[in-house]
Amino acid sequence: MAEPIRVVVTGAAGQIAYSLLYMIARGEVFGKDQPLILHLLDIPPMVGVLEGVVMELADCALPLLREVVPTTDPAVAFKNVSAAFLVGAMPRKEGMERKDLLSANVKIFKAQGQALDQYACKDVKVLVVGNPANTNAVVCSFYAPSIPRENFSAMTRLDQNRASAQVAAKAKVPVSNVRNVVIWGNHSSTQFPDASHAVVIVGNAQKSAADAIGDGEFLKGSFVETVQKRGAAVIAARKMSSAMSAAKAACDHMHDWWNGTAPGQFVSMGVISDGSYDAPKDVIYSFPVEIKNKQWKIVQGLSIDDFAKSKMAITGKELMEEKNEAMAVCNAD
């Protein structure tokens, strides 16, 4: 069997991590023959809860899990890790302005970027889940200059999964019959869920999503709005944020980054923008990507109509504003 790899999960005493840690430790991300050492990072007030999580992981008796390292020290948490799930972030509280949230998270992701830079493997794959995920990923990357920028990503897989599920429900097919739905831009309510490149298997035939659904108004209207507002709808119904689905999406994201995408299939990831599709450069922008040998590549040559261009411009503008605000906070420190 392979040598164990070290994987860190931050916010490890939180809701998302509660589902996520089990999935990772079972082998659903890195493979059924890849042993793991899990590093669990959280803040000092959560140490008691973290102890309970460590007990539960032991009680699961998971064959791949060789060791669990609970800590409140980033130097311990990020030491020699090959993969990082940055889940912990300051949540938005009632009455909090976006700039207040950005300011609090800049401090967290600056410290984690510095710790990654100093202690992690240089080929570490970093997935930022904690919101605002795209901008947190930019900050983290900025403070880890010895790690390639391509190794930092933000999670828009939850949005992709939500969008795929909406298409499947409308087309009356299993979600496994839907692929290549795209999420453009920011993981926020400005994101643009785009089914114009998606394919759906209906019976034995492969159709475009538009043909499979036969309702163009839906794909430009309630489909987009439902996906954009899904997180808020879950909070309204559950009185807590999406945790199980976010954990599943984080696993999907890292699994595909680690193992690659199937030929002809692409997935959505927030990655450093090179200006493709007129997106602003040097922000973390969600694009469709193909992955091979743990390296992602933006899918090129997709046709973008005026409706899509207008939506993509809105989310790109928001990302530039967020980045500028975050960097102003960094520079003020």
Side-chain angles (χ1 to χ4, degrees):
M1 199 172 250
E3 281 294 302
I5 58 169
R6 292 178 182 271
V7 178
V8 63
V9 176
T10 74
Q15 271 227 92
I16 293 172
Y18 194 69
S19 295
L20 176 62
L21 289 166
Y22 175 67
M23 293 185 207
I24 296 170
R26 264 192 64 183
E28 291 178 25
V29 179
F30 302 103
K32 299 291 185 186
D33 56 356
Q34 178 59 67
L36 301 162
I37 297 168
L38 276 179
H39 292 206
L40 312 185
L41 178 67
D42 218 311
I43 55 176
M46 299 304 288
V47 164
V49 179
L50 203 53
E51 284 173 5
V53 173
V54 173
M55 284 186 234
E56 284 214 76
L57 283 167
D59 295 349
C60 286
L62 295 155
L64 294 172
L65 187 57
R66 296 298 163 82
E67 190 184 345
V68 179
V69 182
T71 184
T72 59
D73 182 356
V76 174
F78 292 101
K79 182 78 172 166
N80 296 331
V81 295
S82 297
F85 293 82
L86 305 187
V87 181
M90 168 71 78
R92 191 165 186 163
K93 293 175 182 158
E94 208 171 334
M96 190 184 261
E97 293 293 323
R98 194 177 73 181
K99 63 176 179 294
D100 300 328
L101 185 67
L102 276 169
S103 177
N105 279 302
V106 161
K107 293 176 178 65
I108 295 168
F109 286 87
K110 175 181 178 178
Q112 292 183 356
Q114 289 167 333
L116 281 160
D117 194 57
Q118 199 169 346
Y119 302 109
C121 298
K122 292 306 171 195
D123 61 353
V124 63
K125 300 287 181 269
V126 181
L127 167 59
V128 177
V129 177
N131 287 320
N134 298 57
T135 300
N136 288 342
V138 167
V139 170
C140 200
S141 157
F142 183 78
Y143 285 103
S146 68
I147 297 169
R149 292 196 302 172
E150 292 74 27
N151 288 27
F152 290 83
S153 66
M155 189 172 86
T156 53
R157 185 58 171 265
L158 177 53
D159 308 301
Q160 180 194 313
N161 288 350
R162 287 165 168 165
S164 298
Q166 293 296 319
V167 169
K170 191 74 171 173
K172 296 182 171 60
V173 299
V175 75
S176 56
N177 288 22
V178 177
R179 59 176 185 262
N180 297 356
V181 176
V182 178
I183 304 296
W184 301 99
N186 199 3
H187 173 63
S188 76
S189 59
T190 67
Q191 65 175 266
F192 175 48
D194 179 10
S196 62
H197 313 287
V199 291
V200 180
I201 310 296
V202 183
N204 294 318
Q206 182 172 296
K207 299 183 173 186
S208 69
D211 287 346
I213 287 170
D215 185 347
E217 286 304 305
F218 166 77
L219 288 174
K220 288 189 173 182
S222 62
F223 163 72
V224 173
E225 197 171 304
T226 298
V227 177
Q228 286 176 334
K229 295 181 177 177
R230 187 67 160 192
V234 170
I235 290 170
R238 209 172 85 88
K239 310 303 177 229
M240 288 188 274
S241 62
S242 317
M244 179 169 49
S245 55
K248 161 67 164 53
C251 287
D252 291 345
H253 177 121
M254 190 66 83
H255 173 275
D256 289 349
W257 200 357
W258 207 260
N259 298 289
T261 50
Q265 292 193 30
F266 42 82
V267 293
S268 296
M269 283 172 62
V271 296
I272 195 72
S273 171
D274 62 356
S276 292
Y277 298 101
D278 292 329
K281 284 187 180 179
D282 298 325
V283 298
I284 297 274
Y285 189 99
S286 181
F287 292 100
V289 300
E290 294 170 319
I291 307 164
K292 197 173 178 183
N293 301 323
K294 297 191 176 80
Q295 304 294 316
W296 55 264
K297 201 170 89 181
I298 296 170
V299 175
Q300 299 294 344
L302 298 178
S303 58
I304 307 294
D305 63 17
D306 288 343
F307 173 77
K309 280 178 186 169
S310 68
K311 295 287 187 189
M312 288 160 71
I314 291 165
T315 196
K317 180 171 179 283
E318 181 182 61
L319 281 169
M320 278 302 299
E321 288 169 359
E322 278 189 17
K323 181 190 172 184
N324 291 340
E325 283 178 34
M327 286 305 161
V329 175
C330 292
N331 296 333
D333 280 0

